[in-house]
Amino acid sequence: MSLPTLTAEAIIFSINSAIRLTGRFRKAYADSLKAKRIVLPLPSFNSDPNETAIEFFFREEGKEFLGQVELLDQLHEKARTSQLTQEELTHYREFYRTFARLVHQSDDSHFVKGNSNQRMLLNKEEAIYFCKIRQWEQGTVPRSSVLQLVAGSLVEIGIDYFTQVPGALNLKSAKGIALKNFLQAMDSISFADTNEFKELTSSIVPRLFASAAETIAELSPEISGDENLQHLIKATSLGITKDLYARINRFTPGVERETTVHWGQMVLKSMIRNAGTFAFSHSSELFGTNDSASKLVAATGNALLAEILESG
């Protein structure tokens, strides 16, 4: 099994997987991203194996999961050559419990019986994506991008905004592609492993993501699927985010930072909603090439944000 490794795709896939679940299972998914123990809707499986048994499982039955999750690969390699620490063994055992349940499940265990209907469980692919994001969220592997730093928070936000439209946020849908362009813009921002950068990222990216998700969810499939809008979202999101980083870096945490990010959210929402609709309706008049038009619109958004903040 080979899965895409792009962080943007992992986030969208995970949001869509959680949305597919219902009620308490969806909440368990979101909670498990940050909890010490995994509490996922998976088939029943009772076992408390030792390190040798776990290593054997991933060497034989569960070898398809290797190469998919960085932390699992590290733990498995160490288990083969030396003894794991107690903390490492705890993580290794969690991976085993998660994936062994999926390997050993019976044909009829894809569903959990409820009072009124059957609720689907996570499958292997979805469990892998969950584990990828969980390792970034918990900081158990080095994070190399802005997205990986806040991936768990973005999944939770995405669940909130897209729960009412199940299936609309998969990687092939218009809304999924639109949101992917926003996430790819964030992923292109240079990552600095400093406390200041992490603090700015945690205060800026999730809030801009919420604004983008809210606005994209409101758009019709025709507009959100327009190629011009896809380019516009990527260019505008990147420009506004970089501008916000540069501006609020001058402020200590407080009202000035809060106000700056708030206006950044408002400008991004306006650009996606209004410029996107205009671009869809007047593409032949406005757009000669996607790149040049997107840069023009992005510059307009940055200029508007600068005018608001500097005159405030």
Side-chain angles (χ1 to χ4, degrees), residues 4-238:
T5 57
L6 294 176
T7 308
E9 294 183 359
I11 290 173
I12 292 176
F13 193 98
S14 295
I15 293 171
N16 206 47
S17 298
I19 289 173
R20 191 177 59 79
L21 303 172
T22 59
R24 62 188 176 89
F25 291 152
R26 188 182 300 131
K27 185 178 187 306
Y29 186 105
D31 290 346
S32 289
L33 286 172
K34 300 177 181 179
K36 289 185 178 181
R37 291 187 62 82
I38 297 175
V39 185
L40 281 176
L42 293 165
S44 297
F45 182 77
N46 297 315
S47 182
D48 192 25
N50 59 31
E51 185 176 327
T52 302
I54 299 173
E55 190 276 328
F56 179 79
F57 168 78
F58 284 114
R59 181 158 38 93
E60 298 296 333
E61 292 178 285
K63 61 185 177 182
E64 65 181 302
F65 300 110
L66 297 177
Q68 306 289 356
V69 183
E70 185 179 357
L71 178 59
L72 172 58
D73 292 345
Q74 293 174 1
L75 295 173
H76 182 67
E77 183 59 29
K78 185 173 181 181
R80 292 177 59 248
T81 57
S82 61
Q83 189 171 12
L84 299 174
T85 66
Q86 189 57 48
E87 182 180 3
E88 289 170 335
L89 180 57
T90 298
H91 287 303
Y92 200 32
R93 187 172 283 130
E94 286 284 4
F95 281 122
Y96 170 80
R97 287 171 177 155
T98 299
F99 294 130
R101 285 183 175 102
L102 295 168
V103 169
H104 296 155
Q105 67 185 357
S106 61
D107 291 339
D108 62 352
S109 65
H110 292 282
F111 297 91
V112 173
K113 304 287 185 179
N115 293 331
S116 59
N117 57 11
Q118 292 181 320
R119 299 179 174 91
M120 293 183 70
L121 300 170
L122 294 182
N123 58 35
K124 292 179 183 179
E125 191 177 36
E126 292 168 334
I128 288 172
Y129 272 113
F130 167 85
C131 288
K132 289 169 75 72
I133 290 185
R134 180 178 162 86
Q135 69 177 2
W136 299 328
E137 176 66 30
Q138 296 191 322
T140 48
V141 296
R143 290 167 288 201
S144 60
S145 75
V146 166
L147 280 191
Q148 290 179 4
L149 186 63
V150 293
S153 297
L154 300 190
V155 171
E156 290 184 294
I157 291 169
I159 292 171
D160 289 340
Y161 279 107
F162 292 97
T163 294
Q164 302 306 316
V165 280
L169 200 60
N170 63 65
L171 288 168
K172 296 182 180 179
S173 71
K175 288 180 170 59
I177 295 171
L179 206 59
K180 179 180 175 181
N181 275 275
F182 169 88
L183 293 171
Q184 287 179 328
M186 300 300 100
D187 213 21
S188 67
I189 296 174
S190 298
F191 182 80
D193 192 16
T194 64
N195 290 335
E196 176 71 9
F197 183 84
K198 291 177 180 178
E199 181 184 338
L200 293 180
T201 296
S202 298
S203 64
I204 293 175
V205 176
R207 291 178 60 178
L208 289 182
F209 177 78
S211 296
E214 178 182 3
T215 310
I216 290 170
E218 295 172 354
L219 298 176
S220 69
E222 292 77 17
I223 293 177
S224 61
D226 183 67
E227 185 178 358
N228 295 320
L229 177 61
Q230 309 295 348
H231 287 268
L232 181 148
I233 289 174
K234 193 168 187 176
T236 304
S237 301
L238 180 59

Side-chain angles (χ1 to χ4, degrees), residues 258-271:
E258 178 68 22
T259 300
T260 301
V261 177
H262 169 75
W263 281 112
Q265 288 182 275
M266 297 301 291
V267 170
L268 179 61
K269 289 172 67 173
S270 178
M271 295 300 292

